[in-house]
Amino acid sequence: MKAAATGRTAHDPKRFKLRREPVVTQPLGSPPKWMKGKGQIEAWNTFAKDLPWLNRSHRAFVSIAAEMQGRIIVGEELPVSGYNLLRICLGQLGATPTDSSKVSLPDDEANEFDPSKKYF
């Protein structure tokens, strides 16, 4: 959430108290059928394995990132704009060192609302 990243939630906590991220229970799944390149499929599977918080709602970003990363895997040269697009997608997916600290896994969120948490 952008508000948390920019510190707005700490500045005005009442405004954001009842807001919750949507819960998507479906996993990321297999690469789309239209994705044919060996490198792209390998990149997709690597993202799915390395980024366990990804779910079905992330498929569009993962497909773009897999396309760019797949080209790199097979040794194809990318223009600078391709590397920049990959960097942006990875940031949006929480796959960079800076952005990964902002990711909370579903188990973390469940514990946040556990009524017994205040006693332990």
Side-chain angles (χ1 to χ4, degrees), residues 15-68:
R15 180 176 179 192
F16 297 97
K17 183 177 181 178
L18 299 177
R19 291 189 188 180
R20 301 286 176 249
E21 293 291 322
V23 177
V24 179
T25 58
Q26 296 175 317
L28 181 64
S30 300
K33 293 184 192 295
W34 56 262
M35 194 175 279
K36 302 289 186 194
K38 180 183 176 194
Q40 287 81 9
I41 292 171
E42 182 181 339
W44 179 284
N45 291 330
T46 301
F47 291 141
K49 180 181 155 199
D50 293 347
L51 308 172
W53 56 85
L54 297 179
N55 59 47
R56 190 144 188 94
S57 69
H58 300 109
R59 289 178 68 86
F61 269 117
V62 175
S63 65
I64 296 168
E67 178 69 27
M68 297 296 109

Side-chain angles (χ1 to χ4, degrees), residues 64-114:
I64 296 168
E67 178 69 27
M68 297 296 109
Q69 184 68 33
R71 290 180 185 186
I72 295 168
I73 288 171
V74 298
E76 191 176 319
E77 284 199 32
L78 283 179
V80 173
S81 61
Y83 286 104
N84 192 43
L85 178 60
L86 177 59
R87 181 188 60 80
I88 290 169
C89 286
L90 294 176
Q92 292 294 317
L93 294 169
T96 66
T98 304
D99 295 306
S100 63
S101 67
K102 300 172 192 168
V103 173
S104 63
L105 295 173
D107 290 340
D108 296 339
E109 292 174 8
N111 290 337
E112 181 181 335
F113 304 110
D114 183 4

